Amino acid sequence: MESKLNHDPPLTFSITKEAAGERLDAFLAAQIEGWSRSRLQRLIEDGEVLVNGRIVKPSYKLHANDEIEVELTILPSTQFVAEDIPINVIHEDEDLIVVNKPAGMVAHPAAGVTSGTLANALAFHFQRLSSTGGEARPGIVHRLDKGTSGLLVVAKTERAHEHLSDQFRSREVLKSYLALVHGPVEADTGRIDQPIARDRRHRTRMAIVRGGRPALSIYRVRERFDRFTLLDVELKTGRTHQIRVHLAWIKHPVVGDEVYGSGRDKTVADPQLRSEIAKLGRQFLHAERLGFRHPGTQEQMLFRAPAPLELQNFLAELRSTVKSG
């Protein structure tokens, strides 16, 4: 049996006649080293595996010529080393750690990135971390984009990892972001309920795709400016690039987002503001609040991380521009 396997995300498989009739979860367990069948079943149930562009059940029986996409990065563990990189720890106890990730840092090793990640730093600073995500993702329960700063929870034990992952899957975790977007958002509140999948034309990007993974974002206006709007955005799901894709879809892309911004940064009329956006060197997106149930005590926990200085300074610049205008 031959399958087409691409080591850049997403993993893709073309099903041959020989593999027809196999269960999807069993097939993937045989193909993907280091991932148990139970973990893959959860991945499928979370909508991270598509067959012919659609979400299916772990028990789905494969057909010849089926095309499978799996959102998964495989990195040989021999490439992973602990690195002495500073970490901003917000909270630590026997079960978990909450960190404030800076923009510019990748959460864990992926295709083309083998060092300098949060995972490399965690492995250096903490002796005990969950191995549920694999050796190259010690303790990593969820991710933030490289250009996004803010709060992440890290599991120390397998039990804590499983408990937290269950909360993410059942949408019990509060994930609230601060986002500055282009243009005046008309409604004070709104919801964006649009499925997301990998862009067929641009494989490194995500897009609104019919039959993609369900994705729900809820936003509320925090502050209004002449040509920008500051939003609180709560994620009910956790798809790759979800906030950026959703806000771009409603024609209000995140400031500083070069991938989904459609060049809006360069159309800002004020040359001073246009220059300040370029100097940011990041997207104006910050994971400000994170709430979950503690896996050990069952206590409801809520953490807050103020926006980093560069974002606060940019908002101050916007406010001063409004006053001077």
PDB file of all heavy atoms in Angstrom, residues 132-162:
ATOM      1  N   THR A 132       2.379  14.202  27.073  1.00  0.00           N
ATOM      2  CA  THR A 132       1.223  13.819  26.244  1.00  0.00           C
ATOM      3  C   THR A 132       1.352  14.311  24.810  1.00  0.00           C
ATOM      4  O   THR A 132       0.981  13.620  23.866  1.00  0.00           O
ATOM      5  CB  THR A 132      -0.081  14.372  26.869  1.00  0.00           C
ATOM      6  OG1 THR A 132      -0.243  13.802  28.172  1.00  0.00           O
ATOM      7  CG2 THR A 132      -1.293  14.022  26.019  1.00  0.00           C
ATOM      8  N   GLY A 133       1.885  15.518  24.635  1.00  0.00           N
ATOM      9  CA  GLY A 133       2.006  16.078  23.293  1.00  0.00           C
ATOM     10  C   GLY A 133       3.221  15.629  22.532  1.00  0.00           C
ATOM     11  O   GLY A 133       3.443  16.046  21.398  1.00  0.00           O
ATOM     12  N   GLY A 134       4.041  14.781  23.150  1.00  0.00           N
ATOM     13  CA  GLY A 134       5.261  14.325  22.502  1.00  0.00           C
ATOM     14  C   GLY A 134       6.476  15.051  23.060  1.00  0.00           C
ATOM     15  O   GLY A 134       6.367  16.081  23.722  1.00  0.00           O
ATOM     16  N   GLU A 135       7.660  14.509  22.788  1.00  0.00           N
ATOM     17  CA  GLU A 135       8.893  15.050  23.362  1.00  0.00           C
ATOM     18  C   GLU A 135       9.162  16.484  22.932  1.00  0.00           C
ATOM     19  O   GLU A 135       9.731  17.277  23.689  1.00  0.00           O
ATOM     20  CB  GLU A 135      10.081  14.166  22.960  1.00  0.00           C
ATOM     21  CG  GLU A 135      11.380  14.548  23.658  1.00  0.00           C
ATOM     22  CD  GLU A 135      12.505  13.584  23.348  1.00  0.00           C
ATOM     23  OE1 GLU A 135      12.232  12.520  22.761  1.00  0.00           O
ATOM     24  OE2 GLU A 135      13.654  13.898  23.707  1.00  0.00           O
ATOM     25  N   ALA A 136       8.764  16.845  21.716  1.00  0.00           N
ATOM     26  CA  ALA A 136       9.025  18.194  21.214  1.00  0.00           C
ATOM     27  C   ALA A 136       7.964  19.203  21.633  1.00  0.00           C
ATOM     28  O   ALA A 136       8.065  20.377  21.289  1.00  0.00           O
ATOM     29  CB  ALA A 136       9.134  18.175  19.686  1.00  0.00           C
ATOM     30  N   ARG A 137       6.954  18.746  22.380  1.00  0.00           N
ATOM     31  CA  ARG A 137       5.905  19.653  22.848  1.00  0.00           C
ATOM     32  C   ARG A 137       5.657  19.440  24.347  1.00  0.00           C
ATOM     33  O   ARG A 137       4.529  19.212  24.767  1.00  0.00           O
ATOM     34  CB  ARG A 137       4.601  19.416  22.078  1.00  0.00           C
ATOM     35  CG  ARG A 137       4.740  19.580  20.571  1.00  0.00           C
ATOM     36  CD  ARG A 137       3.394  19.440  19.895  1.00  0.00           C
ATOM     37  NE  ARG A 137       3.532  19.454  18.454  1.00  0.00           N
ATOM     38  CZ  ARG A 137       2.507  19.516  17.605  1.00  0.00           C
ATOM     39  NH1 ARG A 137       1.277  19.542  18.071  1.00  0.00           N
ATOM     40  NH2 ARG A 137       2.704  19.538  16.306  1.00  0.00           N
ATOM     41  N   PRO A 138       6.694  19.510  25.167  1.00  0.00           N
ATOM     42  CA  PRO A 138       6.524  19.214  26.594  1.00  0.00           C
ATOM     43  C   PRO A 138       5.536  20.167  27.268  1.00  0.00           C
ATOM     44  O   PRO A 138       5.734  21.375  27.289  1.00  0.00           O
ATOM     45  CB  PRO A 138       7.940  19.392  27.154  1.00  0.00           C
ATOM     46  CG  PRO A 138       8.607  20.335  26.196  1.00  0.00           C
ATOM     47  CD  PRO A 138       8.048  19.960  24.854  1.00  0.00           C
ATOM     48  N   GLY A 139       4.460  19.602  27.796  1.00  0.00           N
ATOM     49  CA  GLY A 139       3.486  20.383  28.534  1.00  0.00           C
ATOM     50  C   GLY A 139       2.550  21.234  27.709  1.00  0.00           C
ATOM     51  O   GLY A 139       1.597  21.816  28.239  1.00  0.00           O
ATOM     52  N   ILE A 140       2.778  21.338  26.403  1.00  0.00           N
ATOM     53  CA  ILE A 140       1.989  22.243  25.559  1.00  0.00           C
ATOM     54  C   ILE A 140       0.575  21.715  25.395  1.00  0.00           C
ATOM     55  O   ILE A 140       0.354  20.643  24.840  1.00  0.00           O
ATOM     56  CB  ILE A 140       2.644  22.426  24.175  1.00  0.00           C
ATOM     57  CG1 ILE A 140       4.046  23.050  24.316  1.00  0.00           C
ATOM     58  CG2 ILE A 140       1.761  23.279  23.284  1.00  0.00           C
ATOM     59  CD1 ILE A 140       4.053  24.468  24.791  1.00  0.00           C
ATOM     60  N   VAL A 141      -0.406  22.484  25.872  1.00  0.00           N
ATOM     61  CA  VAL A 141      -1.813  22.092  25.787  1.00  0.00           C
ATOM     62  C   VAL A 141      -2.502  22.785  24.608  1.00  0.00           C
ATOM     63  O   VAL A 141      -3.340  22.204  23.930  1.00  0.00           O
ATOM     64  CB  VAL A 141      -2.562  22.428  27.100  1.00  0.00           C
ATOM     65  CG1 VAL A 141      -4.033  22.024  27.014  1.00  0.00           C
ATOM     66  CG2 VAL A 141      -1.901  21.739  28.280  1.00  0.00           C
ATOM     67  N   HIS A 142      -2.131  24.055  24.366  1.00  0.00           N
ATOM     68  CA  HIS A 142      -2.713  24.818  23.258  1.00  0.00           C
ATOM     69  C   HIS A 142      -1.660  25.780  22.737  1.00  0.00           C
ATOM     70  O   HIS A 142      -0.565  25.883  23.294  1.00  0.00           O
ATOM     71  CB  HIS A 142      -3.985  25.559  23.703  1.00  0.00           C
ATOM     72  CG  HIS A 142      -3.745  26.571  24.785  1.00  0.00           C
ATOM     73  ND1 HIS A 142      -4.097  27.894  24.691  1.00  0.00           N
ATOM     74  CD2 HIS A 142      -3.177  26.446  26.015  1.00  0.00           C
ATOM     75  CE1 HIS A 142      -3.771  28.535  25.796  1.00  0.00           C
ATOM     76  NE2 HIS A 142      -3.214  27.668  26.623  1.00  0.00           N
ATOM     77  N   ARG A 143      -1.982  26.501  21.663  1.00  0.00           N
ATOM     78  CA  ARG A 143      -0.975  27.327  21.007  1.00  0.00           C
ATOM     79  C   ARG A 143      -1.456  28.758  20.811  1.00  0.00           C
ATOM     80  O   ARG A 143      -2.645  29.033  20.820  1.00  0.00           O
ATOM     81  CB  ARG A 143      -0.626  26.742  19.635  1.00  0.00           C
ATOM     82  CG  ARG A 143      -0.041  25.354  19.675  1.00  0.00           C
ATOM     83  CD  ARG A 143       0.041  24.758  18.282  1.00  0.00           C
ATOM     84  NE  ARG A 143      -1.293  24.459  17.732  1.00  0.00           N
ATOM     85  CZ  ARG A 143      -1.512  23.942  16.535  1.00  0.00           C
ATOM     86  NH1 ARG A 143      -0.501  23.686  15.742  1.00  0.00           N
ATOM     87  NH2 ARG A 143      -2.732  23.689  16.118  1.00  0.00           N
ATOM     88  N   LEU A 144      -0.484  29.636  20.574  1.00  0.00           N
ATOM     89  CA  LEU A 144      -0.743  30.978  20.076  1.00  0.00           C
ATOM     90  C   LEU A 144       0.123  31.172  18.838  1.00  0.00           C
ATOM     91  O   LEU A 144       1.232  30.618  18.757  1.00  0.00           O
ATOM     92  CB  LEU A 144      -0.370  32.045  21.115  1.00  0.00           C
ATOM     93  CG  LEU A 144      -1.221  32.154  22.385  1.00  0.00           C
ATOM     94  CD1 LEU A 144      -0.637  33.228  23.301  1.00  0.00           C
ATOM     95  CD2 LEU A 144      -2.671  32.475  22.054  1.00  0.00           C
ATOM     96  N   ASP A 145      -0.358  31.960  17.887  1.00  0.00           N
ATOM     97  CA  ASP A 145       0.444  32.257  16.708  1.00  0.00           C
ATOM     98  C   ASP A 145       1.755  32.930  17.117  1.00  0.00           C
ATOM     99  O   ASP A 145       1.832  33.595  18.162  1.00  0.00           O
ATOM    100  CB  ASP A 145      -0.298  33.202  15.770  1.00  0.00           C
ATOM    101  CG  ASP A 145      -1.541  32.578  15.165  1.00  0.00           C
ATOM    102  OD1 ASP A 145      -1.664  31.345  15.218  1.00  0.00           O
ATOM    103  OD2 ASP A 145      -2.385  33.339  14.648  1.00  0.00           O
ATOM    104  N   LYS A 146       2.757  32.817  16.272  1.00  0.00           N
ATOM    105  CA  LYS A 146       4.053  33.445  16.530  1.00  0.00           C
ATOM    106  C   LYS A 146       3.899  34.935  16.799  1.00  0.00           C
ATOM    107  O   LYS A 146       4.510  35.479  17.724  1.00  0.00           O
ATOM    108  CB  LYS A 146       4.988  33.218  15.336  1.00  0.00           C
ATOM    109  CG  LYS A 146       6.343  33.885  15.478  1.00  0.00           C
ATOM    110  CD  LYS A 146       7.205  33.655  14.253  1.00  0.00           C
ATOM    111  CE  LYS A 146       8.550  34.369  14.389  1.00  0.00           C
ATOM    112  NZ  LYS A 146       9.412  34.169  13.197  1.00  0.00           N
ATOM    113  N   GLY A 147       3.083  35.620  16.009  1.00  0.00           N
ATOM    114  CA  GLY A 147       2.932  37.062  16.133  1.00  0.00           C
ATOM    115  C   GLY A 147       1.942  37.508  17.183  1.00  0.00           C
ATOM    116  O   GLY A 147       1.676  38.702  17.323  1.00  0.00           O
ATOM    117  N   THR A 148       1.387  36.563  17.947  1.00  0.00           N
ATOM    118  CA  THR A 148       0.418  36.874  18.999  1.00  0.00           C
ATOM    119  C   THR A 148       1.066  36.691  20.359  1.00  0.00           C
ATOM    120  O   THR A 148       1.723  35.684  20.611  1.00  0.00           O
ATOM    121  CB  THR A 148      -0.813  35.955  18.888  1.00  0.00           C
ATOM    122  OG1 THR A 148      -1.417  36.132  17.612  1.00  0.00           O
ATOM    123  CG2 THR A 148      -1.836  36.287  19.968  1.00  0.00           C
ATOM    124  N   SER A 149       0.880  37.659  21.228  1.00  0.00           N
ATOM    125  CA  SER A 149       1.388  37.556  22.592  1.00  0.00           C
ATOM    126  C   SER A 149       0.273  37.099  23.520  1.00  0.00           C
ATOM    127  O   SER A 149      -0.890  37.069  23.143  1.00  0.00           O
ATOM    128  CB  SER A 149       1.927  38.915  23.054  1.00  0.00           C
ATOM    129  OG  SER A 149       0.925  39.917  22.917  1.00  0.00           O
ATOM    130  N   GLY A 150       0.648  36.753  24.769  1.00  0.00           N
ATOM    131  CA  GLY A 150      -0.382  36.490  25.754  1.00  0.00           C
ATOM    132  C   GLY A 150      -0.298  35.162  26.463  1.00  0.00           C
ATOM    133  O   GLY A 150       0.716  34.457  26.431  1.00  0.00           O
ATOM    134  N   LEU A 151      -1.405  34.814  27.112  1.00  0.00           N
ATOM    135  CA  LEU A 151      -1.465  33.735  28.091  1.00  0.00           C
ATOM    136  C   LEU A 151      -1.610  32.344  27.479  1.00  0.00           C
ATOM    137  O   LEU A 151      -2.424  32.122  26.586  1.00  0.00           O
ATOM    138  CB  LEU A 151      -2.620  33.986  29.056  1.00  0.00           C
ATOM    139  CG  LEU A 151      -2.485  35.242  29.919  1.00  0.00           C
ATOM    140  CD1 LEU A 151      -3.784  35.523  30.667  1.00  0.00           C
ATOM    141  CD2 LEU A 151      -1.328  35.099  30.902  1.00  0.00           C
ATOM    142  N   LEU A 152      -0.813  31.424  28.030  1.00  0.00           N
ATOM    143  CA  LEU A 152      -0.881  30.011  27.672  1.00  0.00           C
ATOM    144  C   LEU A 152      -0.800  29.195  28.951  1.00  0.00           C
ATOM    145  O   LEU A 152      -0.036  29.541  29.867  1.00  0.00           O
ATOM    146  CB  LEU A 152       0.296  29.615  26.781  1.00  0.00           C
ATOM    147  CG  LEU A 152       0.241  29.942  25.294  1.00  0.00           C
ATOM    148  CD1 LEU A 152       1.611  29.726  24.674  1.00  0.00           C
ATOM    149  CD2 LEU A 152      -0.777  29.070  24.599  1.00  0.00           C
ATOM    150  N   VAL A 153      -1.559  28.095  29.021  1.00  0.00           N
ATOM    151  CA  VAL A 153      -1.442  27.190  30.159  1.00  0.00           C
ATOM    152  C   VAL A 153      -0.632  25.970  29.733  1.00  0.00           C
ATOM    153  O   VAL A 153      -0.788  25.450  28.622  1.00  0.00           O
ATOM    154  CB  VAL A 153      -2.827  26.771  30.717  1.00  0.00           C
ATOM    155  CG1 VAL A 153      -3.653  26.025  29.670  1.00  0.00           C
ATOM    156  CG2 VAL A 153      -2.661  25.915  31.968  1.00  0.00           C
ATOM    157  N   VAL A 154       0.258  25.536  30.599  1.00  0.00           N
ATOM    158  CA  VAL A 154       1.164  24.424  30.331  1.00  0.00           C
ATOM    159  C   VAL A 154       0.950  23.366  31.416  1.00  0.00           C
ATOM    160  O   VAL A 154       0.876  23.698  32.604  1.00  0.00           O
ATOM    161  CB  VAL A 154       2.628  24.905  30.346  1.00  0.00           C
ATOM    162  CG1 VAL A 154       3.583  23.740  30.133  1.00  0.00           C
ATOM    163  CG2 VAL A 154       2.841  25.992  29.294  1.00  0.00           C
ATOM    164  N   ALA A 155       0.851  22.107  31.015  1.00  0.00           N
ATOM    165  CA  ALA A 155       0.588  21.024  31.973  1.00  0.00           C
ATOM    166  C   ALA A 155       1.886  20.385  32.459  1.00  0.00           C
ATOM    167  O   ALA A 155       2.780  20.097  31.670  1.00  0.00           O
ATOM    168  CB  ALA A 155      -0.302  19.968  31.334  1.00  0.00           C
ATOM    169  N   LYS A 156       1.947  20.150  33.757  1.00  0.00           N
ATOM    170  CA  LYS A 156       3.109  19.464  34.326  1.00  0.00           C
ATOM    171  C   LYS A 156       2.926  17.953  34.332  1.00  0.00           C
ATOM    172  O   LYS A 156       3.894  17.203  34.234  1.00  0.00           O
ATOM    173  CB  LYS A 156       3.354  19.954  35.758  1.00  0.00           C
ATOM    174  CG  LYS A 156       4.017  21.303  35.863  1.00  0.00           C
ATOM    175  CD  LYS A 156       4.377  21.593  37.306  1.00  0.00           C
ATOM    176  CE  LYS A 156       5.219  22.842  37.425  1.00  0.00           C
ATOM    177  NZ  LYS A 156       5.618  23.117  38.827  1.00  0.00           N
ATOM    178  N   THR A 157       1.686  17.488  34.483  1.00  0.00           N
ATOM    179  CA  THR A 157       1.421  16.050  34.588  1.00  0.00           C
ATOM    180  C   THR A 157       0.508  15.592  33.462  1.00  0.00           C
ATOM    181  O   THR A 157      -0.213  16.396  32.855  1.00  0.00           O
ATOM    182  CB  THR A 157       0.755  15.719  35.933  1.00  0.00           C
ATOM    183  OG1 THR A 157      -0.561  16.303  35.963  1.00  0.00           O
ATOM    184  CG2 THR A 157       1.573  16.276  37.091  1.00  0.00           C
ATOM    185  N   GLU A 158       0.521  14.283  33.217  1.00  0.00           N
ATOM    186  CA  GLU A 158      -0.351  13.725  32.177  1.00  0.00           C
ATOM    187  C   GLU A 158      -1.823  13.930  32.554  1.00  0.00           C
ATOM    188  O   GLU A 158      -2.659  14.239  31.702  1.00  0.00           O
ATOM    189  CB  GLU A 158      -0.077  12.225  32.001  1.00  0.00           C
ATOM    190  CG  GLU A 158       1.389  11.840  31.944  1.00  0.00           C
ATOM    191  CD  GLU A 158       2.154  12.586  30.866  1.00  0.00           C
ATOM    192  OE1 GLU A 158       1.624  12.728  29.755  1.00  0.00           O
ATOM    193  OE2 GLU A 158       3.278  13.026  31.142  1.00  0.00           O
ATOM    194  N   ARG A 159      -2.110  13.773  33.829  1.00  0.00           N
ATOM    195  CA  ARG A 159      -3.487  13.933  34.298  1.00  0.00           C
ATOM    196  C   ARG A 159      -3.970  15.370  34.066  1.00  0.00           C
ATOM    197  O   ARG A 159      -5.091  15.596  33.598  1.00  0.00           O
ATOM    198  CB  ARG A 159      -3.572  13.584  35.784  1.00  0.00           C
ATOM    199  CG  ARG A 159      -4.965  13.790  36.396  1.00  0.00           C
ATOM    200  CD  ARG A 159      -4.959  13.386  37.869  1.00  0.00           C
ATOM    201  NE  ARG A 159      -6.207  13.760  38.534  1.00  0.00           N
ATOM    202  CZ  ARG A 159      -6.444  14.963  39.027  1.00  0.00           C
ATOM    203  NH1 ARG A 159      -5.518  15.914  38.932  1.00  0.00           N
ATOM    204  NH2 ARG A 159      -7.589  15.231  39.622  1.00  0.00           N
ATOM    205  N   ALA A 160      -3.128  16.341  34.405  1.00  0.00           N
ATOM    206  CA  ALA A 160      -3.490  17.743  34.206  1.00  0.00           C
ATOM    207  C   ALA A 160      -3.671  18.051  32.723  1.00  0.00           C
ATOM    208  O   ALA A 160      -4.598  18.772  32.330  1.00  0.00           O
ATOM    209  CB  ALA A 160      -2.425  18.648  34.810  1.00  0.00           C
ATOM    210  N   HIS A 161      -2.796  17.478  31.898  1.00  0.00           N
ATOM    211  CA  HIS A 161      -2.877  17.701  30.454  1.00  0.00           C
ATOM    212  C   HIS A 161      -4.214  17.190  29.905  1.00  0.00           C
ATOM    213  O   HIS A 161      -4.900  17.893  29.147  1.00  0.00           O
ATOM    214  CB  HIS A 161      -1.718  16.993  29.753  1.00  0.00           C
ATOM    215  CG  HIS A 161      -1.478  17.470  28.364  1.00  0.00           C
ATOM    216  ND1 HIS A 161      -0.237  17.841  27.904  1.00  0.00           N
ATOM    217  CD2 HIS A 161      -2.322  17.659  27.314  1.00  0.00           C
ATOM    218  CE1 HIS A 161      -0.325  18.229  26.639  1.00  0.00           C
ATOM    219  NE2 HIS A 161      -1.588  18.105  26.257  1.00  0.00           N
ATOM    220  N   GLU A 162      -4.572  15.994  30.289  1.00  0.00           N
ATOM    221  CA  GLU A 162      -5.822  15.397  29.815  1.00  0.00           C
ATOM    222  C   GLU A 162      -7.027  16.205  30.298  1.00  0.00           C
ATOM    223  O   GLU A 162      -7.973  16.456  29.536  1.00  0.00           O
ATOM    224  CB  GLU A 162      -5.914  13.956  30.302  1.00  0.00           C
ATOM    225  CG  GLU A 162      -7.129  13.189  29.780  1.00  0.00           C
ATOM    226  CD  GLU A 162      -7.045  12.941  28.288  1.00  0.00           C
ATOM    227  OE1 GLU A 162      -5.932  12.960  27.741  1.00  0.00           O
ATOM    228  OE2 GLU A 162      -8.106  12.750  27.664  1.00  0.00           O
TER     229      GLU A 162
END
